[in-house]
Coordinates of all heavy atoms in Angstrom, one line a residue:
M1 N 18.4 -10.1 -9.2 CA 17.2 -9.8 -9.9 C 17.3 -8.5 -10.7 O 17.6 -7.5 -10.1 CB 16.1 -9.7 -8.8 CG 14.7 -9.9 -9.5 SD 13.4 -10.6 -8.5 CE 13.3 -9.8 -6.9
D2 N 17.1 -8.6 -12.0 CA 17.1 -7.3 -12.8 C 15.7 -6.7 -12.9 O 14.8 -7.3 -12.3 CB 17.7 -7.6 -14.2 CG 17.0 -8.6 -15.0 OD1 15.7 -8.7 -14.8 OD2 17.6 -9.2 -15.9
N3 N 15.6 -5.6 -13.6 CA 14.3 -4.9 -13.7 C 13.2 -5.8 -14.3 O 12.1 -5.7 -13.8 CB 14.4 -3.7 -14.5 CG 15.1 -2.5 -13.7 OD1 15.1 -2.6 -12.5 ND2 15.5 -1.5 -14.4
K4 N 13.5 -6.6 -15.3 CA 12.5 -7.4 -16.0 C 12.0 -8.4 -15.0 O 10.8 -8.7 -14.9 CB 13.1 -8.0 -17.2 CG 12.1 -8.4 -18.3 CD 12.8 -8.8 -19.5 CE 11.8 -9.3 -20.5 NZ 12.5 -9.8 -21.8
Q5 N 12.9 -9.1 -14.3 CA 12.5 -10.1 -13.3 C 11.7 -9.4 -12.2 O 10.7 -10.0 -11.7 CB 13.7 -10.7 -12.7 CG 14.4 -11.8 -13.6 CD 15.7 -12.3 -13.0 OE1 16.5 -11.5 -12.6 NE2 15.9 -13.6 -13.0
F6 N 12.1 -8.2 -11.8 CA 11.4 -7.5 -10.8 C 9.9 -7.2 -11.2 O 9.0 -7.4 -10.4 CB 12.1 -6.3 -10.4 CG 11.5 -5.5 -9.3 CD1 11.6 -6.0 -8.0 CD2 10.8 -4.4 -9.5 CE1 11.0 -5.4 -6.9 CE2 10.2 -3.7 -8.4 CZ 10.3 -4.3 -7.1
L7 N 9.8 -6.8 -12.5 CA 8.5 -6.5 -13.0 C 7.6 -7.8 -13.0 O 6.5 -7.7 -12.6 CB 8.6 -6.0 -14.5 CG 7.3 -5.4 -15.1 CD1 6.9 -4.1 -14.3 CD2 7.5 -5.1 -16.5
M8 N 8.2 -8.9 -13.5 CA 7.5 -10.1 -13.5 C 7.1 -10.5 -12.1 O 6.0 -11.0 -11.8 CB 8.4 -11.3 -14.0 CG 8.4 -11.4 -15.5 SD 6.7 -11.6 -16.2 CE 6.3 -13.2 -15.5
Y9 N 8.0 -10.3 -11.1 CA 7.7 -10.6 -9.7 C 6.5 -9.8 -9.2 O 5.6 -10.3 -8.6 CB 8.9 -10.3 -8.9 CG 8.7 -10.4 -7.4 CD1 8.7 -11.7 -6.8 CD2 8.4 -9.3 -6.6 CE1 8.5 -11.8 -5.4 CE2 8.2 -9.4 -5.3 CZ 8.2 -10.7 -4.7 OH 8.0 -10.8 -3.3
N10 N 6.5 -8.5 -9.6 CA 5.3 -7.7 -9.2 C 4.0 -8.2 -9.8 O 3.0 -8.2 -9.2 CB 5.6 -6.2 -9.7 CG 6.5 -5.5 -8.7 OD1 6.8 -6.0 -7.7 ND2 6.8 -4.3 -9.0
I11 N 4.1 -8.5 -11.1 CA 2.9 -9.0 -11.8 C 2.4 -10.3 -11.1 O 1.2 -10.5 -10.9 CB 3.2 -9.3 -13.3 CG1 3.4 -7.9 -14.0 CG2 2.1 -10.0 -14.0 CD1 4.0 -8.0 -15.4
V12 N 3.3 -11.2 -10.8 CA 3.0 -12.4 -10.1 C 2.3 -12.1 -8.7 O 1.3 -12.7 -8.4 CB 4.2 -13.3 -9.9 CG1 3.9 -14.5 -8.9 CG2 4.6 -13.9 -11.2
M13 N 2.9 -11.2 -8.0 CA 2.3 -10.8 -6.7 C 0.9 -10.2 -6.8 O 0.0 -10.5 -6.1 CB 3.2 -9.8 -6.0 CG 4.5 -10.3 -5.5 SD 4.3 -11.7 -4.3 CE 3.9 -10.7 -2.8
I14 N 0.7 -9.4 -7.9 CA -0.6 -8.8 -8.1 C -1.6 -9.9 -8.5 O -2.7 -9.9 -8.0 CB -0.5 -7.7 -9.2 CG1 0.2 -6.5 -8.7 CG2 -1.9 -7.3 -9.7 CD1 0.8 -5.5 -9.7
A15 N -1.1 -10.8 -9.3 CA -2.0 -11.9 -9.7 C -2.4 -12.7 -8.5 O -3.6 -13.1 -8.4 CB -1.3 -12.8 -10.8
I16 N -1.5 -13.0 -7.6 CA -1.7 -13.8 -6.4 C -2.8 -13.0 -5.6 O -3.7 -13.6 -5.1 CB -0.4 -14.1 -5.6 CG1 0.4 -15.1 -6.4 CG2 -0.8 -14.6 -4.2 CD1 1.8 -15.2 -5.9
S17 N -2.5 -11.8 -5.4 CA -3.4 -11.0 -4.5 C -4.8 -10.9 -5.1 O -5.8 -10.9 -4.4 CB -2.9 -9.6 -4.2 OG -2.6 -8.9 -5.4
L18 N -4.9 -10.8 -6.5 CA -6.2 -10.8 -7.2 C -6.9 -12.1 -7.0 O -8.1 -12.2 -6.7 CB -6.0 -10.5 -8.7 CG -6.0 -9.0 -9.0 CD1 -5.7 -8.9 -10.5 CD2 -7.3 -8.3 -8.7
G19 N -6.1 -13.2 -7.1 CA -6.6 -14.5 -6.9 C -7.2 -14.7 -5.5 O -8.3 -15.2 -5.4
I20 N -6.5 -14.2 -4.5 CA -6.9 -14.3 -3.1 C -8.2 -13.5 -3.0 O -9.2 -14.0 -2.4 CB -5.8 -13.8 -2.2 CG1 -4.6 -14.7 -2.2 CG2 -6.4 -13.7 -0.8 CD1 -3.4 -14.2 -1.5
S21 N -8.2 -12.3 -3.5 CA -9.4 -11.5 -3.4 C -10.6 -12.1 -4.0 O -11.7 -12.1 -3.4 CB -9.2 -10.2 -4.2 OG -8.0 -9.6 -3.7
I22 N -10.5 -12.7 -5.2 CA -11.6 -13.3 -5.9 C -12.1 -14.5 -5.1 O -13.3 -14.7 -4.9 CB -11.2 -13.7 -7.4 CG1 -11.0 -12.4 -8.2 CG2 -12.3 -14.6 -8.0 CD1 -10.3 -12.6 -9.5
T23 N -11.1 -15.3 -4.7 CA -11.5 -16.5 -3.9 C -12.3 -16.1 -2.6 O -13.3 -16.7 -2.3 CB -10.2 -17.3 -3.5 OG1 -9.4 -17.5 -4.6 CG2 -10.6 -18.6 -2.9
L24 N -11.7 -15.1 -1.9 CA -12.4 -14.6 -0.7 C -13.8 -14.1 -1.0 O -14.8 -14.4 -0.2 CB -11.6 -13.5 -0.1 CG -10.4 -13.9 0.7 CD1 -9.6 -12.7 1.2 CD2 -10.8 -14.8 1.9
S25 N -14.0 -13.4 -2.1 CA -15.3 -12.8 -2.4 C -16.3 -13.9 -2.8 O -17.5 -13.7 -2.7 CB -15.2 -11.7 -3.5 OG -14.6 -12.2 -4.6
L26 N -15.7 -15.0 -3.3 CA -16.6 -16.1 -3.6 C -17.1 -16.8 -2.3 O -18.3 -17.3 -2.3 CB -15.9 -17.2 -4.5 CG -15.7 -16.8 -5.9 CD1 -14.8 -17.8 -6.6 CD2 -17.0 -16.6 -6.7
F27 N -16.3 -17.0 -1.4 CA -16.6 -17.8 -0.2 C -17.1 -17.0 1.0 O -17.8 -17.5 1.9 CB -15.4 -18.6 0.3 CG -15.0 -19.7 -0.7 CD1 -14.0 -19.6 -1.5 CD2 -15.8 -20.8 -0.8 CE1 -13.7 -20.6 -2.5 CE2 -15.5 -21.8 -1.7 CZ -14.4 -21.7 -2.5
L28 N -16.8 -15.7 1.0 CA -17.2 -14.8 2.1 C -18.2 -13.8 1.7 O -18.1 -13.4 0.5 CB -16.0 -14.2 2.8 CG -15.0 -15.1 3.4 CD1 -13.8 -14.3 3.8 CD2 -15.6 -15.7 4.7
P29 N -19.1 -13.4 2.6 CA -20.0 -12.3 2.2 C -19.2 -11.0 2.0 O -18.1 -10.9 2.6 CB -20.9 -12.1 3.4 CG -20.3 -12.9 4.5 CD -19.4 -13.9 3.9
F30 N -19.7 -10.1 1.2 CA -18.9 -8.9 0.8 C -18.4 -8.1 2.0 O -17.2 -7.7 2.0 CB -19.9 -8.0 0.0 CG -19.2 -6.8 -0.6 CD1 -18.2 -7.0 -1.6 CD2 -19.5 -5.5 -0.1 CE1 -17.6 -5.9 -2.1 CE2 -18.8 -4.4 -0.6 CZ -17.9 -4.6 -1.7
Y31 N -19.2 -8.0 3.1 CA -18.8 -7.1 4.2 C -17.6 -7.8 5.0 O -16.9 -7.1 5.7 CB -19.9 -6.8 5.1 CG -20.5 -8.0 5.9 CD1 -19.9 -8.3 7.2 CD2 -21.4 -8.9 5.4 CE1 -20.4 -9.4 7.9 CE2 -21.9 -9.9 6.1 CZ -21.4 -10.2 7.4 OH -21.8 -11.3 8.1
L32 N -17.4 -9.1 4.8 CA -16.2 -9.7 5.4 C -15.1 -9.8 4.4 O -13.9 -9.6 4.8 CB -16.6 -11.2 5.8 CG -17.3 -11.4 7.1 CD1 -17.6 -12.9 7.3 CD2 -16.5 -10.9 8.2
S33 N -15.3 -10.0 3.2 CA -14.2 -10.2 2.2 C -13.6 -8.8 1.9 O -12.4 -8.8 1.7 CB -14.7 -10.8 0.9 OG -15.7 -10.0 0.3
L34 N -14.4 -7.8 1.9 CA -13.8 -6.5 1.5 C -12.7 -6.0 2.5 O -11.6 -5.7 2.1 CB -14.9 -5.4 1.4 CG -14.4 -4.0 0.9 CD1 -14.0 -4.1 -0.6 CD2 -15.5 -3.0 1.0
P35 N -12.9 -6.0 3.8 CA -11.8 -5.6 4.7 C -10.6 -6.5 4.6 O -9.5 -6.1 4.7 CB -12.4 -5.7 6.1 CG -13.9 -5.8 5.9 CD -14.1 -6.3 4.5
L36 N -10.9 -7.8 4.4 CA -9.8 -8.8 4.3 C -8.9 -8.5 3.0 O -7.7 -8.5 3.1 CB -10.3 -10.2 4.2 CG -10.5 -10.9 5.5 CD1 -11.2 -12.3 5.3 CD2 -9.1 -11.2 6.2
I37 N -9.6 -8.2 2.0 CA -8.9 -7.9 0.7 C -8.1 -6.6 0.9 O -6.9 -6.6 0.5 CB -10.0 -7.7 -0.4 CG1 -10.6 -9.0 -0.8 CG2 -9.3 -7.0 -1.7 CD1 -11.8 -9.0 -1.7
I38 N -8.7 -5.6 1.6 CA -7.9 -4.4 1.8 C -6.6 -4.7 2.6 O -5.6 -4.2 2.3 CB -8.8 -3.3 2.5 CG1 -9.9 -2.9 1.5 CG2 -8.0 -2.1 3.0 CD1 -11.0 -2.1 2.1
V39 N -6.8 -5.5 3.6 CA -5.6 -5.9 4.5 C -4.6 -6.6 3.7 O -3.4 -6.3 3.7 CB -6.1 -6.7 5.7 CG1 -4.9 -7.4 6.4 CG2 -6.9 -5.9 6.7
I40 N -5.0 -7.6 2.9 CA -4.1 -8.3 2.1 C -3.4 -7.4 1.1 O -2.1 -7.5 0.9 CB -4.8 -9.5 1.3 CG1 -5.3 -10.5 2.3 CG2 -3.9 -10.1 0.3 CD1 -6.3 -11.5 1.8
F41 N -4.1 -6.6 0.4 CA -3.5 -5.7 -0.6 C -2.5 -4.8 0.1 O -1.4 -4.5 -0.4 CB -4.5 -4.8 -1.3 CG -5.0 -5.4 -2.6 CD1 -6.2 -6.2 -2.7 CD2 -4.2 -5.3 -3.7 CE1 -6.6 -6.8 -3.8 CE2 -4.6 -5.9 -4.9 CZ -5.8 -6.6 -5.0
N42 N -2.8 -4.3 1.3 CA -1.9 -3.4 2.0 C -0.6 -4.1 2.4 O 0.5 -3.6 2.3 CB -2.6 -2.8 3.3 CG -3.4 -1.6 2.9 OD1 -3.0 -0.8 2.1 ND2 -4.5 -1.4 3.6
L43 N -0.8 -5.4 2.9 CA 0.4 -6.2 3.3 C 1.3 -6.4 2.1 O 2.5 -6.3 2.1 CB -0.1 -7.5 3.9 CG -0.6 -7.4 5.3 CD1 -1.1 -8.8 5.7 CD2 0.4 -7.0 6.3
I44 N 0.7 -6.8 1.0 CA 1.5 -7.1 -0.3 C 2.1 -5.8 -0.8 O 3.3 -5.8 -1.1 CB 0.6 -7.7 -1.3 CG1 0.2 -9.2 -0.9 CG2 1.3 -7.7 -2.7 CD1 -0.9 -9.8 -1.7
N45 N 1.4 -4.7 -0.8 CA 1.9 -3.5 -1.2 C 3.1 -3.0 -0.3 O 4.1 -2.6 -0.8 CB 0.8 -2.4 -1.2 CG 1.2 -1.1 -1.8 OD1 2.0 -1.1 -2.7 ND2 0.7 0.0 -1.3
F46 N 2.9 -3.2 1.0 CA 4.0 -2.8 1.9 C 5.2 -3.7 1.7 O 6.3 -3.2 1.6 CB 3.4 -3.0 3.3 CG 4.4 -2.7 4.4 CD1 4.7 -1.3 4.7 CD2 5.0 -3.6 5.2 CE1 5.6 -1.0 5.7 CE2 5.9 -3.3 6.2 CZ 6.2 -1.9 6.4
Y47 N 5.0 -5.0 1.5 CA 6.1 -5.9 1.3 C 6.8 -5.6 0.0 O 8.0 -5.6 -0.1 CB 5.5 -7.4 1.2 CG 6.4 -8.4 0.9 CD1 7.4 -8.8 1.9 CD2 6.4 -9.1 -0.3 CE1 8.3 -9.9 1.6 CE2 7.3 -10.1 -0.6 CZ 8.2 -10.5 0.4 OH 9.1 -11.5 0.1
M48 N 6.0 -5.3 -1.1 CA 6.7 -5.0 -2.4 C 7.4 -3.8 -2.3 O 8.5 -3.7 -2.9 CB 5.6 -5.0 -3.5 CG 5.0 -6.3 -3.8 SD 4.2 -6.4 -5.4 CE 3.4 -4.9 -5.6
R49 N 6.9 -2.8 -1.6 CA 7.6 -1.5 -1.5 C 8.9 -1.6 -0.8 O 9.9 -1.1 -1.1 CB 6.7 -0.4 -0.8 CG 6.1 0.5 -1.8 CD 5.7 1.8 -1.1 NE 4.3 1.8 -0.8 CZ 3.7 2.8 -0.1 NH1 4.4 3.8 0.2 NH2 2.5 2.7 0.2
N50 N 8.9 -2.4 0.3 CA 10.1 -2.7 1.1 C 11.1 -3.3 0.2 O 12.3 -3.0 0.2 CB 9.8 -3.6 2.3 CG 9.4 -2.8 3.5 OD1 9.4 -1.5 3.5 ND2 9.1 -3.5 4.6
R51 N 10.7 -4.3 -0.6 CA 11.6 -5.0 -1.5 C 12.2 -4.1 -2.5 O 13.4 -4.1 -2.8 CB 10.9 -6.2 -2.2 CG 10.9 -7.5 -1.4 CD 10.4 -8.6 -2.3 NE 11.4 -9.1 -3.1 CZ 12.0 -10.2 -3.0 NH1 11.7 -11.0 -2.0 NH2 12.9 -10.7 -3.8
M52 N 11.3 -3.3 -3.0 CA 11.7 -2.3 -4.1 C 12.7 -1.3 -3.5 O 13.7 -1.0 -4.2 CB 10.5 -1.6 -4.6 CG 10.8 -0.8 -5.9 SD 9.3 -0.4 -6.7 CE 8.7 0.9 -5.5
M53 N 12.5 -0.9 -2.3 CA 13.4 0.1 -1.7 C 14.8 -0.5 -1.6 O 15.8 0.1 -1.8 CB 12.9 0.5 -0.4 CG 11.7 1.4 -0.4 SD 11.9 2.8 -1.6 CE 10.2 3.1 -1.9
K54 N 14.8 -1.8 -1.2 CA 16.1 -2.5 -1.1 C 16.8 -2.7 -2.4 O 18.0 -2.5 -2.6 CB 15.9 -3.8 -0.4 CG 15.8 -3.7 1.1 CD 15.6 -5.1 1.7 CE 15.0 -4.9 3.1 NZ 14.3 -6.1 3.6
K55 N 16.0 -3.0 -3.4 CA 16.6 -3.3 -4.8 C 17.0 -2.0 -5.4 O 18.1 -2.0 -6.1 CB 15.5 -3.9 -5.7 CG 15.1 -5.3 -5.3 CD 16.2 -6.3 -5.6 CE 15.9 -7.6 -4.9 NZ 17.1 -8.4 -4.6
M56 N 16.3 -0.9 -5.2 CA 16.5 0.3 -6.0 C 17.2 1.4 -5.2 O 17.5 2.5 -5.7 CB 15.2 0.8 -6.7 CG 14.7 -0.2 -7.7 SD 13.3 0.4 -8.5 CE 13.0 -0.9 -9.7
G57 N 17.3 1.2 -3.9 CA 18.0 2.1 -3.1 C 17.4 3.5 -3.1 O 18.1 4.4 -3.5
G58 N 16.1 3.7 -2.8 CA 15.5 5.0 -2.8 C 14.2 4.9 -3.6 O 13.3 5.6 -3.2
G59 N 14.2 4.1 -4.6 CA 12.9 3.9 -5.2 C 12.3 5.1 -5.9 O 11.0 5.2 -5.8
A60 N 13.0 5.9 -6.6 CA 12.4 7.0 -7.3 C 11.8 6.4 -8.6 O 12.3 5.4 -9.1 CB 13.5 8.0 -7.7
G61 N 10.8 7.1 -9.1 CA 10.2 6.7 -10.3 C 9.0 5.8 -10.2 O 7.9 6.4 -9.8
M62 N 9.1 4.6 -10.5 CA 8.0 3.6 -10.6 C 6.7 4.0 -9.9 O 5.6 4.0 -10.5 CB 8.4 2.2 -10.2 CG 9.1 1.5 -11.3 SD 9.6 -0.2 -10.8 CE 8.1 -1.1 -11.1
F63 N 6.8 4.3 -8.6 CA 5.6 4.6 -7.9 C 5.6 6.0 -7.4 O 5.4 6.3 -6.2 CB 5.4 3.6 -6.7 CG 5.1 2.2 -7.1 CD1 6.0 1.3 -7.3 CD2 3.7 1.9 -7.4 CE1 5.7 0.0 -7.7 CE2 3.4 0.6 -7.8 CZ 4.4 -0.3 -8.0
G64 N 6.0 6.9 -8.3 CA 6.2 8.3 -7.9 C 5.0 9.0 -7.3 O 5.2 9.9 -6.5
S65 N 3.8 8.5 -7.6 CA 2.6 9.2 -7.0 C 2.4 8.7 -5.6 O 1.8 9.4 -4.8 CB 1.4 8.9 -7.8 OG 1.2 7.5 -7.8
L66 N 3.0 7.6 -5.2 CA 2.8 7.1 -3.8 C 4.0 7.8 -3.0 O 5.0 8.0 -3.5 CB 3.0 5.6 -3.7 CG 1.9 4.8 -4.4 CD1 2.3 3.3 -4.4 CD2 0.6 5.0 -3.7
S67 N 3.7 8.0 -1.8 CA 4.7 8.6 -1.0 C 5.7 7.6 -0.6 O 5.4 6.5 -0.2 CB 4.1 9.3 0.3 OG 3.6 8.3 1.1
S68 N 7.0 7.9 -0.7 CA 8.0 7.0 -0.3 C 8.3 7.1 1.2 O 8.2 8.1 1.8 CB 9.3 7.4 -1.1 OG 10.4 7.1 -0.3
P69 N 8.7 5.9 1.8 CA 9.1 6.0 3.2 C 10.3 6.9 3.4 O 10.5 7.3 4.6 CB 9.5 4.5 3.5 CG 8.8 3.7 2.4 CD 8.7 4.6 1.2
F70 N 11.0 7.3 2.4 CA 12.1 8.1 2.6 C 11.8 9.6 2.4 O 12.6 10.5 2.6 CB 13.2 7.8 1.5 CG 13.8 6.4 1.8 CD1 13.3 5.3 1.1 CD2 14.8 6.2 2.7 CE1 13.8 4.0 1.4 CE2 15.3 5.0 3.0 CZ 14.8 3.9 2.3
S71 N 10.5 9.9 2.1 CA 10.2 11.3 1.9 C 10.0 12.0 3.2 O 10.1 13.2 3.3 CB 8.9 11.4 1.0 OG 7.8 10.9 1.7
G72 N 9.7 11.3 4.2 CA 9.7 11.9 5.6 C 10.6 11.1 6.5 O 11.3 10.2 6.0
N73 N 10.5 11.4 7.7 CA 11.3 10.6 8.7 C 10.7 9.2 8.9 O 11.4 8.3 9.0 CB 11.4 11.3 10.0 CG 12.3 12.5 9.9 OD1 13.2 12.6 9.1 ND2 12.0 13.6 10.7
S74 N 9.4 9.1 8.9 CA 8.8 7.9 9.1 C 7.5 7.8 8.2 O 7.6 7.8 7.0 CB 8.4 7.6 10.5 OG 7.7 8.7 11.0
I75 N 6.3 7.8 8.9 CA 5.1 7.6 8.1 C 4.4 9.0 8.0 O 4.5 9.8 8.8 CB 4.1 6.7 8.9 CG1 4.8 5.3 9.2 CG2 2.8 6.4 8.2 CD1 4.2 4.5 10.3
N76 N 3.8 9.2 6.8 CA 3.1 10.4 6.6 C 1.6 10.2 6.8 O 1.1 9.1 6.4 CB 3.3 10.9 5.1 CG 4.8 11.3 4.9 OD1 5.3 12.0 5.8 ND2 5.3 10.9 3.8
Y77 N 1.0 11.2 7.3 CA -0.5 11.1 7.4 C -1.1 12.2 6.6 O -0.5 13.3 6.4 CB -0.9 11.3 8.9 CG -0.5 10.3 9.8 CD1 0.7 10.4 10.6 CD2 -1.1 9.1 9.8 CE1 1.1 9.4 11.4 CE2 -0.7 8.0 10.7 CZ 0.4 8.2 11.5 OH 0.8 7.2 12.3
Y78 N -2.2 11.8 6.0 CA -2.9 12.8 5.1 C -4.3 13.0 5.7 O -5.0 12.0 6.0 CB -3.0 12.3 3.7 CG -1.7 12.2 3.0 CD1 -0.9 11.1 3.1 CD2 -1.2 13.3 2.3 CE1 0.3 11.0 2.5 CE2 0.0 13.3 1.7 CZ 0.8 12.1 1.8 OH 2.0 12.1 1.2
C79 N -4.7 14.2 5.9 CA -6.0 14.6 6.4 C -7.1 14.0 5.4 O -7.0 14.2 4.2 CB -6.1 16.1 6.5 SG -7.8 16.7 6.9
M80 N -8.1 13.4 6.0 CA -9.2 12.9 5.1 C -10.1 14.0 4.7 O -10.9 13.7 3.7 CB -10.0 11.8 5.9 CG -9.1 10.6 6.4 SD -9.3 9.1 5.5 CE -11.0 8.6 5.9
S81 N -10.1 15.1 5.3 CA -11.0 16.2 4.9 C -10.4 17.0 3.9 O -11.1 17.3 2.8 CB -11.4 17.0 6.2 OG -12.0 16.3 7.2
C82 N -9.2 17.5 4.1 CA -8.6 18.5 3.1 C -7.4 17.9 2.4 O -6.9 18.6 1.5 CB -8.3 19.8 3.8 SG -7.0 19.7 5.0
G83 N -6.9 16.8 2.8 CA -5.8 16.2 2.1 C -4.4 16.7 2.5 O -3.4 16.4 2.0
T84 N -4.3 17.6 3.5 CA -3.1 18.1 4.0 C -2.2 17.0 4.6 O -2.7 16.2 5.4 CB -3.3 19.2 5.0 OG1 -4.2 20.2 4.5 CG2 -2.0 19.8 5.5
K85 N -0.9 17.0 4.2 CA 0.0 16.1 4.8 C 0.5 16.7 6.2 O 0.9 17.8 6.2 CB 1.2 15.9 3.9 CG 2.2 14.9 4.3 CD 3.2 14.7 3.1 CE 4.6 14.7 3.6 NZ 5.5 14.5 2.5
H86 N 0.4 15.9 7.2 CA 0.8 16.4 8.5 C 1.1 15.2 9.4 O 0.9 14.0 9.1 CB -0.3 17.3 9.1 CG -1.5 16.5 9.4 ND1 -1.7 15.9 10.6 CD2 -2.7 16.3 8.7 CE1 -2.9 15.3 10.6 NE2 -3.5 15.6 9.5
K87 N 1.7 15.5 10.5 CA 2.1 14.4 11.5 C 1.5 14.7 12.9 O 1.9 14.1 13.8 CB 3.6 14.4 11.6 CG 4.3 13.7 10.4 CD 5.8 13.7 10.5 CE 6.4 13.0 9.3 NZ 7.8 13.0 9.3
E88 N 0.5 15.6 12.9 CA -0.1 15.9 14.2 C -1.3 14.9 14.4 O -1.7 14.2 13.6 CB -0.7 17.3 14.2 CG 0.2 18.4 13.5 CD 1.6 18.5 14.3 OE1 1.6 18.4 15.5 OE2 2.6 18.7 13.6
A89 N -1.8 15.0 15.7 CA -3.0 14.2 16.0 C -4.2 14.7 15.2 O -5.0 13.9 14.7 CB -3.3 14.2 17.5
A90 N -4.3 16.0 15.1 CA -5.3 16.6 14.3 C -4.7 17.5 13.2 O -3.6 18.0 13.3 CB -6.2 17.5 15.2
C91 N -5.5 17.6 12.1 CA -5.0 18.4 11.0 C -4.8 19.8 11.4 O -5.6 20.5 12.0 CB -6.1 18.3 9.9 SG -5.7 19.4 8.5
P92 N -3.6 20.4 11.1 CA -3.3 21.8 11.5 C -4.1 22.8 10.6 O -4.2 23.9 11.0 CB -1.8 21.9 11.2 CG -1.5 20.8 10.2 CD -2.5 19.7 10.5
R93 N -4.6 22.3 9.5 CA -5.3 23.2 8.6 C -6.8 23.3 8.9 O -7.4 24.4 9.0 CB -5.1 22.7 7.2 CG -5.6 23.7 6.1 CD -4.9 23.4 4.8 NE -5.7 23.7 3.7 CZ -5.5 23.3 2.4 NH1 -4.5 22.4 2.2 NH2 -6.3 23.6 1.5
C94 N -7.4 22.1 9.1 CA -8.9 22.1 9.3 C -9.3 21.5 10.6 O -10.5 21.5 10.9 CB -9.6 21.4 8.1 SG -9.3 19.6 8.1
G95 N -8.4 21.0 11.3 CA -8.7 20.5 12.7 C -9.3 19.1 12.7 O -9.6 18.5 13.8
S96 N -9.4 18.4 11.5 CA -10.0 17.1 11.5 C -9.1 16.1 12.0 O -7.9 16.1 11.8 CB -10.4 16.7 10.0 OG -10.7 15.4 10.0
K97 N -9.6 15.1 12.8 CA -8.8 14.1 13.3 C -8.8 12.8 12.5 O -8.1 11.8 12.7 CB -9.2 13.7 14.8 CG -8.8 14.8 15.7 CD -9.1 14.4 17.2 CE -8.6 15.5 18.1 NZ -9.0 15.4 19.5
M98 N -9.6 12.9 11.4 CA -9.6 11.8 10.5 C -8.4 11.9 9.6 O -8.2 12.9 8.9 CB -10.9 11.8 9.6 CG -12.2 11.6 10.4 SD -12.4 9.9 11.0 CE -12.9 9.2 9.4
K99 N -7.6 10.8 9.5 CA -6.5 10.9 8.6 C -6.2 9.5 8.1 O -6.6 8.5 8.7 CB -5.3 11.5 9.3 CG -4.8 10.7 10.6 CD -3.8 11.5 11.3 CE -3.2 10.6 12.5 NZ -3.4 11.1 13.8
R100 N -5.4 9.5 7.0 CA -5.0 8.2 6.5 C -3.5 8.1 6.4 O -2.9 9.2 6.3 CB -5.7 7.9 5.1 CG -5.3 8.8 4.1 CD -6.0 8.6 2.8 NE -5.7 9.6 1.8 CZ -4.6 9.5 1.0 NH1 -3.7 8.6 1.2 NH2 -4.4 10.5 0.1
V101 N -3.0 7.0 6.5 CA -1.5 6.8 6.3 C -1.2 6.8 4.9 O -1.8 6.1 4.1 CB -1.1 5.5 7.0 CG1 0.4 5.3 6.9 CG2 -1.4 5.5 8.5
G102 N -0.2 7.5 4.5 CA 0.2 7.6 3.1 C 1.7 7.2 2.9 O 2.5 7.3 3.8
Ligands
ZN1 ZN1 -7.5 18.9 7.1

């Protein structure tokens, strides 16, 4: 698979996920479809990132703003209050336990 094929593959995956999202939002009430859509997008995103890492061996560039799995030892957490990247149970800067995986 070269870069052009890879780009096409990504576009197809995004189209599929959009299709699933639209279909879900048509058949399910918003409060049910939204969490499902988020889960589906996360799964596809995770899957694509894994593929990309294998193809590009490090994956610099394309998704530079997203944190790479190689930037830390494993998963990074970001404080939901102040945005600090940390791996503690609570944020070392503001003490908030609300965090998101990045
Ligand atoms: Zn914080």
Side-chain angles (χ1 to χ4, degrees):
M1 200 152 45
D2 61 27
N3 279 344
K4 206 171 173 181
Q5 282 173 313
F6 185 73
L7 191 67
M8 273 306 294
Y9 174 79
N10 278 356
I11 289 166
V12 167
M13 289 301 284
I14 289 163
I16 289 169
S17 58
L18 273 176
I20 293 168
S21 308
I22 291 162
T23 309
L24 282 174
S25 60
L26 286 176
F27 290 105
L28 293 171
F30 185 69
Y31 70 91
L32 277 178
S33 61
L34 187 69
L36 271 174
I37 288 165
I38 291 168
V39 167
I40 289 164
F41 267 98
N42 275 326
L43 284 175
I44 288 169
N45 189 30
F46 182 74
Y47 177 72
M48 290 202 320
R49 257 202 265 178
N50 270 358
R51 273 190 81 106
M52 191 165 70
M53 289 311 155
K54 277 179 198 156
K55 293 290 168 202
M56 296 185 176
M62 278 179 85
F63 291 96
S65 61
L66 295 173
S67 67
S68 145
F70 293 96
S71 65
N73 289 330
S74 55
I75 304 163
N76 293 317
Y77 294 101
Y78 293 88
C79 175
M80 299 252 295
S81 301
C82 67
T84 303
K85 184 169 135 183
H86 66 87
K87 286 178 180 176
E88 319 298 322
C91 175
R93 191 161 148 197
C94 70
S96 171
K97 285 185 179 170
M98 296 286 283
K99 59 189 188 243
R100 63 184 176 82
V101 178

